[in-house]
Amino acid sequence: MKSPIYLRAPEPQDRSAFLAAVRASEKLHRPWISAPATTAQFRAYLQKMAQPANRAYLVCRRDTDDIAGVINLTNVILGAFRSGYLGYYAFAGHERQGFMCAGLKAVIRHAFGALRLHRLEANIQPGNGTSIALVRACGFRLEGYSPRYLKIRGRWCDHQRWAILADRDGRGDTA
């Protein structure tokens, strides 16, 4: 069965659709994330994600080509650590339909396969039940709690630390 999504890198020509999706998703994203919401922020996002330690993936619906969400793989460290951090968000109208789960599983396969990473970590605010359910469904395990871990929308927020490891064959638990 063909996946309902495909992944692709964001490009400058995505600006209008991306920013419209961010505007339409303000209630969905609050208070969990602050997505790039202006042309300047979108441009800065593309520049940041073009750095060698970062990868950005748009989760696109196969049936409509709409951008259903975003998955960012950041601070990728190779060598003995071979790890990276995940950040992600769905866009309004595409949430709770399995698109982000399919997208996250595809990113995990890519990270543990082509990128040969060993570990992926997602840090999630404890009250964000939807995000916690997503990582659980994708094979992540709760590892710990980090008080005042990340600054979100101007305030330091506590986070749970969730991680998934590649198996001995270099695949994630979802592969």
Side-chain angles (χ1 to χ4, degrees):
M1 182 171 156
K2 195 176 242 187
S3 174
I5 61 93
Y6 62 93
L7 300 175
R8 68 174 179 83
E11 300 174 354
Q13 57 265 36
D14 292 316
R15 179 183 52 84
S16 293
F18 187 98
L19 294 178
V22 168
R23 279 191 302 277
S25 303
E26 178 65 24
K27 284 183 182 178
L28 178 66
H29 292 165
R30 187 175 294 276
W32 313 120
I33 62 129
S34 183
T38 67
T39 297
Q41 290 172 346
F42 181 73
R43 192 175 307 120
Y45 166 71
L46 291 180
Q47 289 173 344
K48 175 184 177 182
M49 298 314 290
Q51 295 173 4
N54 299 327
R55 312 280 189 293
Y57 306 92
L58 297 181
V59 179
C60 298
R61 293 179 58 152
R62 193 171 297 283
D63 60 348
T64 64
D65 291 322
D66 288 344
I67 303 170
V70 175
I71 300 174
N72 297 317
L73 177 56
T74 60
N75 300 314
V76 172
I77 300 172
L78 299 177
F81 196 44
R82 304 204 75 78
S83 181
Y85 294 89
L86 290 166
Y88 49 82
Y89 45 93
F91 286 131
H94 305 286
E95 72 276 23
R96 294 182 180 91
Q97 297 179 53
F99 301 123
M100 291 303 291
C101 189
L104 188 52
K105 287 179 179 182
V107 169
I108 292 166
R109 283 190 300 274
H110 179 71
F112 291 155
L115 299 178
R116 298 182 50 228
L117 297 184
H118 170 71
R119 172 187 175 84
L120 294 173
E121 189 172 306
N123 291 283
I124 303 168
Q125 293 173 64
N128 191 343
T130 302
S131 186
I132 291 169
L134 173 62
V135 295
R136 266 196 184 124
C138 291
F140 285 69
R141 291 183 180 84
L142 179 62
E143 287 191 336
Y145 184 82
S146 302
R148 298 181 49 162
Y149 181 70
L150 288 173
K151 198 171 203 178
I152 309 286
R153 296 182 178 260
R155 68 178 188 87
W156 290 102
C157 298
D158 299 344
H159 282 71
Q160 292 179 349
R161 191 174 54 258
W162 291 80
I164 188 170
L165 304 177
D167 63 20
R168 295 189 190 281
D169 295 324
R171 297 183 310 261
D173 292 343
T174 65

